[in-house]
Amino acid sequence: MKRYRVDVHEDGGVRTVVMAGEFDLDTLGSLQAALDAGENAGAERVVVDVTRVTFADSSVLNLLLGAHRALPLVLAGPLPDRLAHVLEVTCTDRVFTVAGTLAEARTVPLPPRP
């Protein structure tokens, strides 16, 4: 039985990637494809809805960081407690733009790109 799901929605230059379930090195393929497609499609921003993530290991964090370097990426919350803890412990909560809701994530101002 599949323990994760990735759905993708496009609307007005915003690509929304919805993550649900458990993500680790073995389940990154569909998430990687969704993020790569956003970069290749020239999305103005990619919103990653993480509200239904129940587990994410360091490989997921590494994938999100790589995507964030390549294109404007916003994490839409509220963040699950476990994921919020991982971001805090690794100090990557300072790297990502995090929005409290999916609607906010679509319009939140983004920091300047280097």
Side-chain angles (χ1 to χ4, degrees):
M1 183 167 88
K2 204 170 180 181
R3 58 184 208 265
Y4 69 96
R5 182 175 169 162
V6 175
D7 293 315
V8 178
H9 310 281
E10 303 274 350
D11 183 26
V14 177
R15 181 179 192 82
T16 302
V17 178
V18 181
M19 297 173 62
E22 300 176 9
F23 291 85
D24 57 26
L25 186 60
D26 294 332
T27 61
L28 287 184
S30 56
L31 179 58
Q32 176 78 56
L35 293 171
D36 286 349
E39 181 179 358
N40 294 337
E44 294 172 17
R45 76 172 58 200
V46 173
V47 172
V48 181
D49 181 348
V50 295
T51 57
R52 293 182 285 170
V53 172
T54 56
F55 176 81
D57 70 5
S58 61
S59 62
V60 175
L61 181 57
N62 189 45
L63 178 63
L64 291 173
L65 285 167
H68 178 66
R69 282 186 216 102
L71 54 107
L73 186 139
V74 179
L75 299 181
L79 298 179
D81 290 341
R82 285 183 176 179
L83 183 57
H85 179 72
V86 168
L87 294 176
E88 183 180 338
V89 167
T90 59
C91 295
T92 52
D93 57 343
R94 300 176 193 149
V95 174
F96 292 108
T97 299
V98 179
T101 66
L102 188 55
E104 182 185 331
R106 295 179 51 80
T107 60
V108 66
L110 297 169
R113 305 285 297 168

